[in-house]
Amino acid sequence: SQTIHQWPATLVQPVGSPLSLECTVEGTSNPNLYWYRQAAGRGLQLLFYSVGIGQISSEVPQNLSASRPQDRQFILSSKKLLLSDSGFYLCAWSVLFANTEAFFGQGTRLTVV
Amino acid sequence: GENVEQHPSTLSVQEGDSAVIKCTYSDSASNYFPWYKQELGKGPQLIIDIRSNVGEKKDQRIAVTLNKTAKHFSLHITETQPEDSAVYFCAAYQTGNQFYFGTGTSLTVIP
């Protein structure tokens, strides 16, 4: 069966520090991969999505970047965190070109102080 | 691109009553409509979905209806229980594209 792993679960980082969040998927190949951010009490904002290795689409201009170094690995990064980067970050995957659900990880609660 | 609107943003019901959440979408090419439940501090989980060739789908106390002509779909929860309290998201998807989510509905079931 397929599983998605996202870590860490919580993170407290000072302003100006770098960020690296990692997400891996097991049990499937060539997945669509997504990074979402959720502010407190708000909806899901799509940050990045990827249909293959090295193929990243960015939805909003921001202080973040994403990379997909391997088929089932998706990394969210920042060189210098801002206070506004605080939020709940969710990784998700779906089957490429199929009308099936997106599967979400358990999320990372990032607090920038 | 696709635009998904979701109403209401908050909903309180008495235990045992029904809850209805409505979503509209703008792109007639969208052909898959999942509904997610998100509990506090966790990732969203699929509770039911519907494809564009179907008008209604039911799974125990949960049902979803789709009106392609009007471009709207709804989630119906009957006999609500306190454990149904959560945030619910609708989404619209078209093959080869991304998921477009509604802004969420915070459902509270009052015992």
Side-chain angles (χ1 to χ4, degrees):
Chain A
S1 62
Q2 302 93 352
T3 56
I4 179 168
H5 302 279
Q6 186 181 344
W7 68 93
T10 60
L11 192 59
V12 180
Q13 291 284 97
V15 169
S17 64
L19 173 73
S20 181
L21 302 181
E22 188 164 343
C23 173
T24 60
V25 180
E26 296 179 355
T28 188
S29 298
N30 305 315
N32 283 328
L33 294 171
Y34 310 86
W35 277 111
Y36 290 89
R37 177 169 60 199
Q38 190 174 29
R42 303 292 293 276
L44 299 165
Q45 179 189 31
L46 180 64
L47 301 175
F48 301 96
Y49 74 99
S50 172
V51 298
I53 295 174
Q55 300 178 61
I56 311 290
S57 296
S58 174
E59 288 300 300
V60 292
Q62 60 210 318
N63 185 40
L64 302 168
S65 62
S67 62
R68 184 170 178 173
Q70 300 180 43
D71 181 45
R72 292 171 290 176
Q73 184 185 28
F74 207 22
I75 298 172
L76 183 68
S77 303
S78 173
K79 292 182 180 178
K80 289 186 177 182
L81 284 168
L82 306 172
L83 287 174
S84 57
D85 291 324
S86 294
F88 191 50
Y89 288 82
L90 289 157
C91 180
W93 75 273
S94 67
V95 176
L96 192 64
F97 299 125
N99 293 353
T100 57
E101 67 185 284
F103 298 87
F104 284 86
Q106 288 303 297
T108 296
R109 172 74 58 194
L110 171 65
T111 304
V112 182
V113 296
Chain B
E2 176 65 275
N3 181 46
V4 178
E5 295 189 357
Q6 181 172 346
H7 300 281
S9 57
T10 59
L11 179 61
S12 292
V13 299
Q14 292 289 332
E15 182 177 357
D17 287 351
S18 296
V20 180
I21 302 171
K22 298 182 178 182
C23 288
T24 61
Y25 62 99
S26 60
D27 192 340
S28 57
S30 291
N31 52 12
Y32 174 65
F33 306 92
W35 284 90
Y36 289 85
K37 177 183 181 182
Q38 185 180 26
E39 297 179 342
L40 194 62
K42 296 185 177 181
Q45 291 210 318
L46 181 79
I47 54 171
I48 197 167
D49 57 10
I50 192 166
R51 291 175 175 79
S52 58
N53 58 346
V54 176
E56 184 174 359
K57 183 176 178 181
K58 190 174 181 180
D59 182 4
Q60 299 183 349
R61 297 186 296 108
I62 296 174
V64 58
T65 58
L66 172 65
N67 183 326
K68 285 195 301 180
T69 303
K71 297 198 194 69
H72 65 71
F73 55 114
S74 300
L75 177 71
H76 304 254
I77 306 174
T78 59
E79 300 172 22
T80 53
Q81 302 167 2
E83 51 265 38
D84 294 329
S85 296
V87 178
Y88 292 81
F89 291 97
C90 63
Y93 174 84
Q94 57 178 275
T95 309
N97 211 315
Q98 57 169 291
F99 290 84
Y100 292 87
F101 285 88
T103 49
T105 296
S106 178
L107 173 65
T108 302
V109 179
I110 304 166

